[in-house]
Amino acid sequence: MFTGIIEALGEVVALEPRNGDLRLRVRTGSLDLADVQLGDSIATNGVCLTAVELPGDGFWADVSRETLDNTTLTGWAVGQPVNLEKALTPQTRLGGHIVSGHVDGIGEVVGRHRDARSERFRLRAPAELARYIAHKGSITVDGTSLTVNKVEGAEFELNIVPHTLQWTIMESYRPGTRVNLEVDLIARYLERLLLGDKAADPDAGGITLEFLTQHGYNRA
């Protein structure tokens, strides 16, 4: 588990195809690896990766087909910067929100403009994730815990302060940039709980207005 508070910027230094999947090497820059052991998790642009080698200045990780199919990792290149965060401990301050490092889908930056000293970003999420994105709710973008400032359909806006621009990869975002999205974990579990026994039915689908009305949640 993670908090979504980025600890350092790293750099992709190797991408090695391995029998249909990939082995990745990341140089971790200022990230303190003194307490990192083999098998520990490091969130890399929001993707929870397991350290399988620790050469001293970073780590190697194996990347499965599942991860390649559901994240931006297939488009990564040697030399590109990445957001890094070590897994939280019981002593970690939860400054962001609870982040699993399991990417839900790929979003796209569709707009950016200055707002005083901040930058406003507009992103488009996959349609199936839109129901989990709420005004003033939390969302993880490339591993960064952020607050949603506005929602319109599958698009949402973020207000990014100068500190976040400086210490994450968001300064490089432009319209067309693809990003890893992880929606609020609580929203996902709440949906399953509301489905009750129907959660075991593969044809049940998700929560709809009709479902809420039938079960007494909508009295309009």
Side-chain angles (χ1 to χ4, degrees):
M1 303 296 288
F2 307 90
T3 68
I5 303 299
I6 303 306
E7 296 180 285
L9 290 178
E11 180 186 1
V12 176
V13 292
L15 295 158
E16 298 181 358
R18 295 286 181 95
N19 297 321
D21 54 32
L22 192 71
R23 179 162 280 202
L24 165 75
R25 181 176 178 179
V26 175
R27 185 178 294 124
T28 51
S30 63
L31 188 70
D32 183 7
L33 298 178
D35 59 347
V36 175
Q37 301 179 7
L38 292 180
D40 283 355
S41 298
I42 299 176
T44 308
N45 274 9
V47 182
C48 179
L49 296 176
T50 300
V52 297
E53 292 183 38
L54 293 167
D57 64 345
F59 68 96
W60 285 90
D62 289 320
V63 183
S64 69
R65 283 300 330 166
E66 173 72 14
T67 300
L68 291 171
D69 289 343
N70 291 284
T71 72
T72 61
L73 218 150
T74 51
W76 291 9
V78 171
Q80 80 170 62
V82 287
N83 293 325
L84 298 175
E85 182 191 355
K86 295 185 293 186
L88 63 82
T89 69
Q91 291 77 36
T92 303
R93 289 185 177 181
L94 192 61
H97 70 285
I98 297 174
V99 175
S100 70
H102 303 154
V103 174
D104 291 303
I106 297 173
E108 180 182 350
V109 178
V110 295
R112 172 180 178 171
H113 69 272
R114 183 164 291 279
D115 184 3
R117 293 186 302 122
S118 298
E119 291 281 328
R120 286 265 183 176
F121 290 87
R122 190 174 183 89
L123 285 78
R124 181 182 300 118
E128 63 272 17
L129 296 183
R131 65 180 180 269
Y132 303 112
I133 302 172
H135 179 234
K136 297 302 179 181
S138 297
I139 192 164
T140 308
V141 179
D142 279 339
T144 306
S145 171
L146 298 167
T147 299
V148 177
N149 294 108
K150 186 178 181 180
V151 181
E152 292 181 345
E155 295 189 359
F156 61 96
E157 290 188 3
L158 305 167
N159 182 77
I160 307 302
V161 298
H163 178 85
T164 304
L165 285 175
Q166 181 180 356
W167 295 103
T168 73
I169 64 170
M170 292 194 74
E171 179 60 63
S172 67
Y173 287 0
R174 299 292 184 272
T177 299
R178 299 167 78 240
V179 296
N180 292 320
L181 299 178
E182 181 185 331
V183 298
D184 188 12
L185 194 65
I186 295 174
R188 279 205 172 276
Y189 279 111
L190 180 60
E191 180 180 50
R192 296 291 287 179
L193 286 169
L194 285 173
L195 283 171
D197 292 340
K198 288 186 176 295
D201 182 354
D203 300 319
I207 299 296
T208 63
L209 182 60
E210 180 183 3
F211 176 92
L212 293 173
T213 302
Q214 288 176 351
H215 291 82
Y217 294 105
N218 177 33
R219 300 184 183 281

